[in-house]
Amino acid sequence: MSDTFSLNRRSFLLSSAMTSAFVAAGLPFSASADEQKQVIASIFGGDYADLMRKIVDDRVMVPEGYEVLQDISTTEARQTKLRTEKMRRQSSFDVAVLADLDMYPMSQIGVLETLDETSIPRLSKIIPALRKSYSAPQLYSYIAILYNPEKITTPPTSYADLWNPAYKGKVGISDVLYTATSAVAALVGGGSMTDFTPGQAKLLELKNEQQAQILPTNESIATAFKSEDIWITLNYVARGYAWQKAGLNIASAVPVEGSIPIAFELCVPKNAPHKDAAFAYINAALEPESQTGFSEAIGYLPSVTDAKLDPELQARIGLSEADQAKLRPMDNAYLMENQSAIFDFWNREFKG
Protein backbone atom coordinates (compact mmCIF):
# COMPACT_ATOMS: atom_id res chain seq x y z
CA MET A 1 0.00 0.00 0.00
CA SER A 2 1.43 3.35 -1.02
CA ASP A 3 2.04 5.91 1.76
CA THR A 4 1.30 8.75 -0.67
CA PHE A 5 -2.44 8.43 -0.28
CA SER A 6 -3.28 6.15 2.63
CA LEU A 7 -3.60 6.97 6.28
CA ASN A 8 -2.19 4.55 8.78
CA ARG A 9 -4.80 2.33 10.39
CA ARG A 10 -4.95 4.22 13.68
CA SER A 11 -5.37 7.61 12.00
CA PHE A 12 -7.96 6.28 9.58
CA LEU A 13 -10.05 4.71 12.31
CA LEU A 14 -9.88 7.90 14.40
CA SER A 15 -10.85 10.05 11.43
CA SER A 16 -13.70 7.72 10.47
CA ALA A 17 -14.93 7.52 14.06
CA MET A 18 -15.01 11.30 14.44
CA THR A 19 -16.86 11.74 11.16
CA SER A 20 -19.36 9.00 12.02
CA ALA A 21 -19.98 10.54 15.45
CA PHE A 22 -20.92 13.89 13.92
CA VAL A 23 -23.09 12.21 11.28
CA ALA A 24 -24.88 9.93 13.73
CA ALA A 25 -25.64 12.85 16.01
CA GLY A 26 -27.03 14.88 13.16
CA LEU A 27 -24.48 17.63 13.79
CA PRO A 28 -22.93 19.71 11.03
CA PHE A 29 -19.63 18.37 9.83
CA SER A 30 -17.86 21.00 7.79
CA ALA A 31 -15.04 19.81 5.59
CA SER A 32 -11.99 21.95 4.95
CA ALA A 33 -10.72 22.55 1.43
CA ASP A 34 -8.20 19.74 1.91
CA GLU A 35 -10.94 17.38 3.11
CA GLN A 36 -12.98 18.17 0.01
CA LYS A 37 -10.10 16.64 -1.96
CA GLN A 38 -10.65 13.38 -0.11
CA VAL A 39 -12.81 10.51 -1.36
CA ILE A 40 -13.95 7.52 0.69
CA ALA A 41 -14.55 4.50 -1.55
CA SER A 42 -16.51 1.55 -0.16
CA ILE A 43 -15.28 -1.35 -2.25
CA PHE A 44 -14.36 -5.03 -2.38
CA GLY A 45 -11.03 -6.10 -0.93
CA GLY A 46 -8.33 -8.37 -2.33
CA ASP A 47 -7.33 -8.09 -5.98
CA TYR A 48 -10.09 -5.57 -6.67
CA ALA A 49 -8.82 -3.14 -4.03
CA ASP A 50 -5.23 -3.58 -5.18
CA LEU A 51 -6.18 -2.84 -8.78
CA MET A 52 -8.21 0.22 -7.82
CA ARG A 53 -5.28 1.51 -5.80
CA LYS A 54 -2.86 0.99 -8.67
CA ILE A 55 -4.81 2.08 -11.75
CA VAL A 56 -7.28 4.61 -10.35
CA ASP A 57 -5.93 6.00 -7.07
CA ASP A 58 -2.18 6.15 -7.75
CA ARG A 59 -2.44 6.73 -11.49
CA VAL A 60 -5.14 9.43 -11.57
CA MET A 61 -6.52 10.60 -8.25
CA VAL A 62 -3.34 11.16 -6.22
CA PRO A 63 -1.57 13.17 -8.99
CA GLU A 64 -4.67 15.37 -9.14
CA GLY A 65 -4.36 16.11 -5.43
CA TYR A 66 -6.94 13.70 -4.03
CA GLU A 67 -6.55 11.45 -1.01
CA VAL A 68 -8.36 8.13 -1.46
CA LEU A 69 -9.48 6.12 1.57
CA GLN A 70 -10.56 2.56 0.83
CA ASP A 71 -13.40 1.33 3.00
CA ILE A 72 -13.14 -2.43 2.46
CA SER A 73 -16.49 -4.10 3.10
CA THR A 74 -18.96 -6.71 1.90
CA THR A 75 -21.89 -6.18 -0.43
CA GLU A 76 -24.28 -6.66 2.48
CA ALA A 77 -22.45 -4.08 4.61
CA ARG A 78 -22.58 -1.50 1.83
CA GLN A 79 -26.28 -2.04 1.25
CA THR A 80 -26.96 -1.82 4.98
CA LYS A 81 -25.11 1.49 5.23
CA LEU A 82 -26.98 2.92 2.25
CA ARG A 83 -30.29 2.01 3.91
CA THR A 84 -29.50 3.04 7.47
CA GLU A 85 -27.67 6.27 6.61
CA LYS A 86 -30.40 7.49 4.29
CA MET A 87 -31.77 10.07 6.74
CA ARG A 88 -28.42 11.26 8.05
CA ARG A 89 -26.90 14.55 6.98
CA GLN A 90 -23.91 12.73 5.52
CA SER A 91 -23.18 9.16 4.58
CA SER A 92 -20.02 7.44 5.77
CA PHE A 93 -18.62 7.06 2.24
CA ASP A 94 -18.65 8.90 -1.07
CA VAL A 95 -18.75 6.14 -3.65
CA ALA A 96 -19.57 2.45 -3.51
CA VAL A 97 -19.35 -0.56 -5.79
CA LEU A 98 -22.13 -3.15 -6.13
CA ALA A 99 -23.13 -5.75 -8.68
CA ASP A 100 -25.97 -4.57 -10.90
CA LEU A 101 -28.54 -6.90 -9.29
CA ASP A 102 -27.61 -5.50 -5.86
CA MET A 103 -27.51 -1.89 -7.03
CA TYR A 104 -31.05 -1.82 -8.39
CA PRO A 105 -32.81 -2.22 -4.98
CA MET A 106 -30.73 0.68 -3.69
CA SER A 107 -31.96 2.84 -6.55
CA GLN A 108 -35.53 2.01 -5.63
CA ILE A 109 -35.28 3.37 -2.08
CA GLY A 110 -34.09 6.75 -3.29
CA VAL A 111 -30.61 6.88 -1.79
CA LEU A 112 -28.53 7.22 -4.98
CA GLU A 113 -27.48 10.40 -6.73
CA THR A 114 -28.46 10.80 -10.38
CA LEU A 115 -25.33 10.67 -12.52
CA ASP A 116 -24.92 12.67 -15.71
CA GLU A 117 -22.24 13.77 -18.14
CA THR A 118 -22.03 17.27 -16.65
CA SER A 119 -20.39 15.89 -13.51
CA ILE A 120 -18.93 12.69 -15.02
CA PRO A 121 -17.96 13.34 -18.67
CA ARG A 122 -16.84 9.75 -19.25
CA LEU A 123 -20.43 8.52 -18.96
CA SER A 124 -20.80 9.45 -22.63
CA LYS A 125 -18.53 6.53 -23.54
CA ILE A 126 -20.47 3.80 -21.74
CA ILE A 127 -21.82 0.92 -23.83
CA PRO A 128 -25.48 1.86 -24.37
CA ALA A 129 -26.87 -1.46 -23.11
CA LEU A 130 -25.14 -0.89 -19.75
CA ARG A 131 -26.10 2.77 -19.22
CA LYS A 132 -28.17 3.72 -16.16
CA SER A 133 -29.06 6.99 -14.51
CA TYR A 134 -28.32 5.97 -10.92
CA SER A 135 -24.97 4.18 -11.34
CA ALA A 136 -21.99 3.86 -13.65
CA PRO A 137 -20.89 0.39 -14.83
CA GLN A 138 -17.19 0.15 -14.05
CA LEU A 139 -16.61 -3.23 -15.67
CA TYR A 140 -18.63 -6.21 -16.82
CA SER A 141 -18.55 -9.81 -17.90
CA TYR A 142 -21.10 -11.98 -19.67
CA ILE A 143 -22.50 -15.48 -19.51
CA ALA A 144 -20.52 -17.44 -22.09
CA ILE A 145 -20.54 -21.08 -23.10
CA LEU A 146 -17.43 -22.63 -21.58
CA TYR A 147 -16.34 -25.96 -22.99
CA ASN A 148 -13.49 -28.46 -23.32
CA PRO A 149 -12.18 -28.05 -26.89
CA GLU A 150 -10.67 -31.55 -26.89
CA LYS A 151 -14.05 -33.12 -26.23
CA ILE A 152 -16.19 -30.64 -28.18
CA THR A 153 -14.27 -29.98 -31.37
CA THR A 154 -16.99 -27.96 -33.11
CA PRO A 155 -17.31 -24.71 -31.11
CA PRO A 156 -20.81 -24.10 -29.70
CA THR A 157 -22.67 -21.11 -31.08
CA SER A 158 -25.87 -21.01 -29.01
CA TYR A 159 -26.97 -21.33 -25.41
CA ALA A 160 -29.19 -24.11 -26.78
CA ASP A 161 -26.07 -26.23 -27.37
CA LEU A 162 -26.17 -27.23 -23.71
CA TRP A 163 -29.24 -29.26 -24.65
CA ASN A 164 -27.34 -31.12 -27.41
CA PRO A 165 -27.88 -34.88 -26.79
CA ALA A 166 -24.23 -35.49 -27.69
CA TYR A 167 -23.30 -33.91 -24.35
CA LYS A 168 -25.69 -35.98 -22.22
CA GLY A 169 -24.20 -36.47 -18.76
CA LYS A 170 -21.38 -34.03 -19.49
CA VAL A 171 -23.19 -30.74 -18.81
CA GLY A 172 -22.24 -28.98 -15.59
CA ILE A 173 -24.47 -26.42 -13.88
CA SER A 174 -23.25 -24.17 -11.07
CA ASP A 175 -25.84 -23.93 -8.31
CA VAL A 176 -24.72 -20.40 -7.40
CA LEU A 177 -25.58 -19.18 -10.91
CA TYR A 178 -29.24 -20.14 -10.62
CA THR A 179 -30.51 -16.73 -11.75
CA ALA A 180 -28.29 -16.55 -14.82
CA THR A 181 -28.98 -20.19 -15.75
CA SER A 182 -32.73 -19.58 -15.37
CA ALA A 183 -32.38 -16.58 -17.69
CA VAL A 184 -30.53 -18.68 -20.29
CA ALA A 185 -33.19 -21.39 -20.11
CA ALA A 186 -35.84 -18.71 -20.62
CA LEU A 187 -34.14 -17.49 -23.81
CA VAL A 188 -33.77 -21.04 -25.14
CA GLY A 189 -37.37 -21.87 -24.24
CA GLY A 190 -38.88 -18.86 -25.98
CA GLY A 191 -39.13 -16.57 -22.96
CA SER A 192 -37.40 -13.30 -22.28
CA MET A 193 -35.69 -11.25 -19.60
CA THR A 194 -39.16 -10.31 -18.36
CA ASP A 195 -40.62 -13.83 -18.46
CA PHE A 196 -38.61 -16.80 -17.19
CA THR A 197 -41.61 -19.14 -17.10
CA PRO A 198 -40.95 -20.78 -20.52
CA GLY A 199 -37.51 -21.69 -19.26
CA GLN A 200 -38.82 -24.00 -16.56
CA ALA A 201 -39.52 -26.81 -19.04
CA LYS A 202 -36.01 -26.38 -20.47
CA LEU A 203 -34.47 -26.64 -17.02
CA LEU A 204 -36.33 -29.89 -16.43
CA GLU A 205 -35.08 -31.18 -19.79
CA LEU A 206 -31.56 -30.29 -18.74
CA LYS A 207 -32.03 -32.26 -15.54
CA ASN A 208 -33.98 -35.28 -16.79
CA GLU A 209 -32.91 -35.74 -20.40
CA GLN A 210 -29.41 -34.27 -20.41
CA GLN A 211 -28.66 -35.60 -16.92
CA ALA A 212 -26.84 -32.37 -16.14
CA GLN A 213 -24.60 -32.39 -13.08
CA ILE A 214 -25.66 -29.68 -10.63
CA LEU A 215 -22.52 -28.72 -8.73
CA PRO A 216 -22.51 -26.54 -5.60
CA THR A 217 -19.88 -23.93 -6.47
CA ASN A 218 -17.94 -22.46 -9.36
CA GLU A 219 -14.84 -24.08 -7.91
CA SER A 220 -16.47 -27.51 -8.17
CA ILE A 221 -17.25 -26.75 -11.82
CA ALA A 222 -13.53 -26.13 -12.41
CA THR A 223 -12.66 -29.40 -10.67
CA ALA A 224 -15.15 -31.29 -12.84
CA PHE A 225 -13.64 -29.74 -15.97
CA LYS A 226 -10.18 -30.81 -14.86
CA SER A 227 -11.30 -34.41 -14.31
CA GLU A 228 -13.34 -34.32 -17.55
CA ASP A 229 -16.49 -35.23 -15.65
CA ILE A 230 -18.08 -32.33 -17.52
CA TRP A 231 -17.35 -30.89 -20.95
CA ILE A 232 -19.59 -27.85 -21.14
CA THR A 233 -21.17 -25.27 -18.83
CA LEU A 234 -22.48 -21.74 -18.52
CA ASN A 235 -20.39 -19.20 -16.67
CA TYR A 236 -18.94 -15.73 -16.90
CA VAL A 237 -16.21 -15.41 -19.48
CA ALA A 238 -14.05 -13.71 -16.84
CA ARG A 239 -14.13 -16.88 -14.77
CA GLY A 240 -13.24 -18.94 -17.82
CA TYR A 241 -10.30 -16.60 -18.39
CA ALA A 242 -9.11 -17.16 -14.82
CA TRP A 243 -9.40 -20.92 -15.25
CA GLN A 244 -7.43 -20.74 -18.49
CA LYS A 245 -4.68 -18.82 -16.67
CA ALA A 246 -4.71 -21.55 -14.01
CA GLY A 247 -4.00 -24.16 -16.68
CA LEU A 248 -7.44 -25.63 -17.44
CA ASN A 249 -8.16 -26.53 -21.05
CA ILE A 250 -11.26 -24.37 -21.49
CA ALA A 251 -12.50 -22.35 -24.44
CA SER A 252 -15.39 -19.89 -24.50
CA ALA A 253 -18.07 -19.13 -27.07
CA VAL A 254 -20.36 -16.13 -27.51
CA PRO A 255 -24.02 -17.18 -27.94
CA VAL A 256 -25.95 -16.01 -30.99
CA GLU A 257 -28.96 -15.19 -28.81
CA GLY A 258 -27.06 -12.29 -27.27
CA SER A 259 -24.95 -12.54 -24.13
CA ILE A 260 -26.34 -11.94 -20.66
CA PRO A 261 -24.06 -9.43 -18.87
CA ILE A 262 -23.26 -8.83 -15.23
CA ALA A 263 -21.90 -5.39 -14.40
CA PHE A 264 -20.14 -4.08 -11.32
CA GLU A 265 -21.32 -0.54 -10.87
CA LEU A 266 -20.27 2.58 -8.97
CA CYS A 267 -22.77 4.82 -7.22
CA VAL A 268 -22.77 8.00 -5.15
CA PRO A 269 -25.08 8.40 -2.14
CA LYS A 270 -27.22 11.53 -2.25
CA ASN A 271 -25.70 12.58 1.07
CA ALA A 272 -22.08 11.79 0.20
CA PRO A 273 -19.75 14.17 2.08
CA HIS A 274 -17.36 14.70 -0.85
CA LYS A 275 -19.64 14.46 -3.85
CA ASP A 276 -17.43 16.27 -6.36
CA ALA A 277 -14.53 14.00 -5.42
CA ALA A 278 -16.78 10.98 -5.90
CA PHE A 279 -17.65 12.13 -9.41
CA ALA A 280 -13.95 12.58 -10.18
CA TYR A 281 -13.26 9.08 -8.85
CA ILE A 282 -15.90 7.50 -11.10
CA ASN A 283 -14.66 9.47 -14.07
CA ALA A 284 -11.13 8.19 -13.40
CA ALA A 285 -12.40 4.61 -13.16
CA LEU A 286 -13.98 4.98 -16.61
CA GLU A 287 -10.79 6.11 -18.32
CA PRO A 288 -9.55 3.65 -20.98
CA GLU A 289 -6.33 2.79 -19.12
CA SER A 290 -8.25 2.08 -15.91
CA GLN A 291 -10.64 -0.14 -17.80
CA THR A 292 -8.05 -2.17 -19.69
CA GLY A 293 -6.02 -2.61 -16.51
CA PHE A 294 -8.86 -4.62 -15.00
CA SER A 295 -9.34 -6.63 -18.19
CA GLU A 296 -5.71 -7.68 -18.38
CA ALA A 297 -5.60 -8.65 -14.71
CA ILE A 298 -8.94 -10.41 -14.10
CA GLY A 299 -10.68 -10.75 -17.46
CA TYR A 300 -13.54 -8.31 -16.92
CA LEU A 301 -14.42 -6.21 -19.93
CA PRO A 302 -14.36 -2.43 -20.34
CA SER A 303 -17.77 -0.81 -19.96
CA VAL A 304 -16.75 2.01 -22.31
CA THR A 305 -16.50 1.98 -26.07
CA ASP A 306 -13.08 3.61 -26.43
CA ALA A 307 -11.02 1.19 -24.31
CA LYS A 308 -9.25 -1.17 -26.70
CA LEU A 309 -7.94 -4.53 -25.55
CA ASP A 310 -4.81 -6.23 -26.79
CA PRO A 311 -5.86 -8.31 -29.85
CA GLU A 312 -4.99 -11.62 -28.17
CA LEU A 313 -7.02 -10.74 -25.08
CA GLN A 314 -9.87 -9.43 -27.23
CA ALA A 315 -9.98 -12.77 -29.03
CA ARG A 316 -10.18 -14.64 -25.72
CA ILE A 317 -12.77 -12.63 -23.82
CA GLY A 318 -13.97 -9.71 -25.91
CA LEU A 319 -17.20 -8.89 -27.68
CA SER A 320 -17.41 -7.31 -31.09
CA GLU A 321 -19.41 -4.12 -31.52
CA ALA A 322 -22.20 -6.24 -33.03
CA ASP A 323 -22.19 -8.54 -29.99
CA GLN A 324 -22.14 -5.55 -27.63
CA ALA A 325 -25.27 -4.30 -29.37
CA LYS A 326 -26.90 -7.70 -28.73
CA LEU A 327 -26.26 -7.75 -24.97
CA ARG A 328 -29.33 -9.01 -23.10
CA PRO A 329 -29.29 -7.45 -19.62
CA MET A 330 -31.58 -9.06 -17.09
CA ASP A 331 -34.57 -6.97 -16.12
CA ASN A 332 -33.95 -5.83 -12.56
CA ALA A 333 -37.56 -4.92 -11.88
CA TYR A 334 -38.73 -8.35 -13.01
CA LEU A 335 -36.12 -10.09 -10.88
CA MET A 336 -36.91 -8.01 -7.81
CA GLU A 337 -40.56 -9.07 -8.09
CA ASN A 338 -39.97 -12.71 -9.04
CA GLN A 339 -36.69 -13.71 -7.39
CA SER A 340 -38.40 -15.83 -4.73
CA ALA A 341 -40.42 -17.78 -7.30
CA ILE A 342 -37.33 -18.33 -9.48
CA PHE A 343 -35.34 -19.58 -6.49
CA ASP A 344 -38.21 -21.79 -5.31
CA PHE A 345 -38.56 -23.51 -8.70
CA TRP A 346 -34.81 -24.01 -8.90
CA ASN A 347 -34.63 -25.71 -5.48
CA ARG A 348 -37.86 -27.69 -5.51
CA GLU A 349 -38.25 -28.70 -9.12
CA PHE A 350 -34.86 -28.45 -10.80
CA LYS A 351 -32.65 -29.61 -7.94
CA GLY A 352 -35.29 -31.59 -6.05
Side-chain angles (χ1 to χ4, degrees):
M1 180 180 293
S2 171
D3 291 332
T4 61
F5 69 91
S6 62
L7 295 175
N8 64 44
R9 178 174 175 81
R10 184 171 180 272
S11 296
F12 172 72
L13 292 175
L14 179 60
S15 174
S16 298
M18 291 175 64
T19 302
S20 298
F22 275 91
V23 171
L27 297 174
F29 181 79
S30 58
S32 68
D34 287 341
E35 288 167 334
Q36 287 298 325
K37 295 287 283 186
Q38 180 186 91
V39 59
I40 304 169
S42 187
I43 61 174
F44 301 111
D47 290 344
Y48 180 90
D50 291 341
L51 285 167
M52 289 298 282
R53 184 178 301 117
K54 176 182 177 182
I55 62 182
V56 176
D57 303 354
D58 285 353
R59 189 183 68 83
V60 182
M61 298 299 287
V62 172
E64 292 184 0
Y66 291 94
E67 180 183 42
V68 181
L69 302 179
Q70 291 188 343
D71 172 27
I72 306 302
S73 61
T74 64
T75 291
E76 293 74 17
R78 266 168 258 140
Q79 289 180 308
T80 297
K81 285 184 178 181
L82 284 167
R83 291 188 184 99
T84 59
E85 295 176 356
K86 178 180 179 180
M87 302 308 295
R88 294 180 180 178
R89 181 177 178 272
Q90 291 183 339
S91 64
S92 59
F93 53 81
D94 301 299
V95 62
V97 62
L98 291 170
D100 48 8
L101 297 183
D102 298 315
M103 189 72 76
Y104 179 76
M106 300 298 96
S107 74
Q108 296 303 291
I109 60 174
V111 298
L112 305 183
E113 185 71 35
T114 298
L115 307 182
D116 59 44
E117 295 169 22
T118 302
S119 53
I120 307 174
R122 292 288 305 166
L123 292 178
S124 65
K125 300 298 184 180
I126 288 175
I127 295 169
L130 303 178
R131 184 76 185 260
K132 293 170 183 172
S133 62
Y134 55 81
S135 60
Q138 180 196 359
L139 45 92
Y140 80 102
S141 190
Y142 60 90
I143 291 290
I145 307 157
L146 304 184
Y147 65 99
N148 182 333
E150 288 187 358
K151 301 296 183 180
I152 301 176
T153 55
T154 301
T157 60
S158 167
Y159 283 140
D161 285 329
L162 269 77
W163 283 259
N164 186 332
Y167 312 144
K168 181 177 180 178
K170 294 297 184 179
V171 179
I173 298 297
S174 175
D175 189 26
V176 298
L177 293 182
Y178 75 91
T179 301
T181 305
S182 297
V184 166
L187 291 181
V188 174
S192 68
M193 295 299 96
T194 57
D195 183 10
F196 283 14
T197 304
Q200 294 178 350
K202 299 304 295 183
L203 286 175
L204 294 179
E205 283 182 26
L206 204 59
K207 170 187 174 183
N208 298 323
E209 297 178 22
Q210 283 294 82
Q211 297 180 8
Q213 301 180 46
I214 306 170
L215 301 172
T217 65
N218 291 316
E219 290 73 20
S220 58
I221 290 286
T223 299
F225 260 115
K226 186 174 182 179
S227 66
E228 299 184 353
D229 286 342
I230 65 170
W231 298 348
I232 189 169
T233 192
L234 298 168
N235 218 303
Y236 293 105
V237 72
R239 185 162 281 115
Y241 175 70
W243 290 341
Q244 288 172 349
K245 290 175 68 175
L248 288 184
N249 186 20
I250 291 178
S252 64
V254 178
V256 295
E257 294 90 347
S259 303
I260 299 171
I262 179 176
F264 287 92
E265 302 174 344
L266 297 168
C267 69
V268 178
K270 286 184 176 179
N271 55 349
H274 316 110
K275 199 170 290 185
D276 288 342
F279 296 150
Y281 183 88
I282 293 176
N283 203 66
L286 296 177
E287 289 188 2
E289 190 171 338
S290 299
Q291 297 271 299
T292 56
F294 269 90
S295 298
E296 291 161 3
I298 60 175
Y300 277 81
L301 290 168
S303 62
V304 295
T305 57
D306 60 347
K308 305 303 180 185
L309 299 182
D310 174 84
E312 190 273 335
L313 183 59
Q314 173 69 25
R316 291 174 69 178
I317 67 172
L319 290 176
S320 66
E321 289 186 14
D323 286 327
Q324 287 179 10
K326 290 169 60 179
L327 284 170
R328 304 285 294 269
M330 286 189 270
D331 187 281
N332 290 313
Y334 175 81
L335 288 178
M336 191 170 179
E337 183 177 349
N338 294 278
Q339 192 72 52
S340 294
I342 294 167
F343 186 62
D344 186 65
F345 179 85
W346 181 271
N347 281 324
R348 294 192 179 191
E349 303 295 332
F350 182 56
K351 287 173 57 180

